Amino acid sequence: MGNINDEVEERVVEQVEFETEDGQTVLMSVIEETTIAGVDYILVSSEFDDDLAEDEIEVLPLKLVKEEGEIASYETIEDDEELAAVSEVFAKLLSEDDIELEY
């Protein structure tokens, strides 16, 4: 397996600007998308950091909570069971491309 950062960068669906609760704008790369029981989720990374080990990249699953036109609102998943289930689905999707997700 090569550098995980290179492999994940190849999977990036799009880059999206997120506004944090304190009004700051953060550019995130959408790595994967899925729908579970009618709820949309995305897996994002804020950066591909050269300081991380070659085989590591930090990702965050987010849940769609509201969509109005082209503007969507996502939030972190607070419920541990929901987070585990969503992480498992993303892990399976990524494993199809030999990318391992630890959660």
Side-chain angles (χ1 to χ4, degrees):
M1 178 169 11
N3 183 327
I4 193 83
N5 292 333
D6 293 338
E7 292 176 32
V8 171
E9 282 185 61
E10 290 177 14
R11 291 190 61 86
V12 170
V13 175
E14 63 183 311
Q15 290 192 315
V16 181
E17 284 187 0
F18 285 87
E19 186 173 319
T20 63
E21 289 179 0
D22 61 359
Q24 293 184 349
T25 301
V26 178
L27 185 62
M28 305 285 272
S29 298
V30 179
I31 297 167
E32 187 64 77
E33 303 174 73
T34 193
T35 301
I36 303 169
V39 179
D40 293 329
Y41 298 91
I42 58 175
L43 185 67
V44 298
S45 176
S46 61
E47 58 188 66
F48 299 101
D49 191 346
D50 291 334
D51 292 337
L52 293 174
E54 272 191 14
D55 60 347
E56 293 180 3
I57 190 166
E58 293 182 13
V59 295
L60 176 67
L62 299 173
K63 176 181 182 176
L64 178 66
V65 290
K66 181 173 63 171
E67 189 169 17
E68 295 176 9
E70 292 184 19
I71 298 176
S73 294
Y74 288 88
E75 65 181 25
T76 55
I77 303 167
E78 300 297 327
D79 180 83
D80 290 339
E81 289 181 24
E82 179 182 14
L83 180 59
V86 170
S87 296
E88 187 174 322
V89 170
F90 279 129
K92 181 174 170 113
L93 291 170
L94 293 174
S95 73
E96 293 171 2
D97 289 332
D98 294 326
I99 299 172
E100 184 178 335
L101 177 65
E102 293 180 12
Y103 51 96

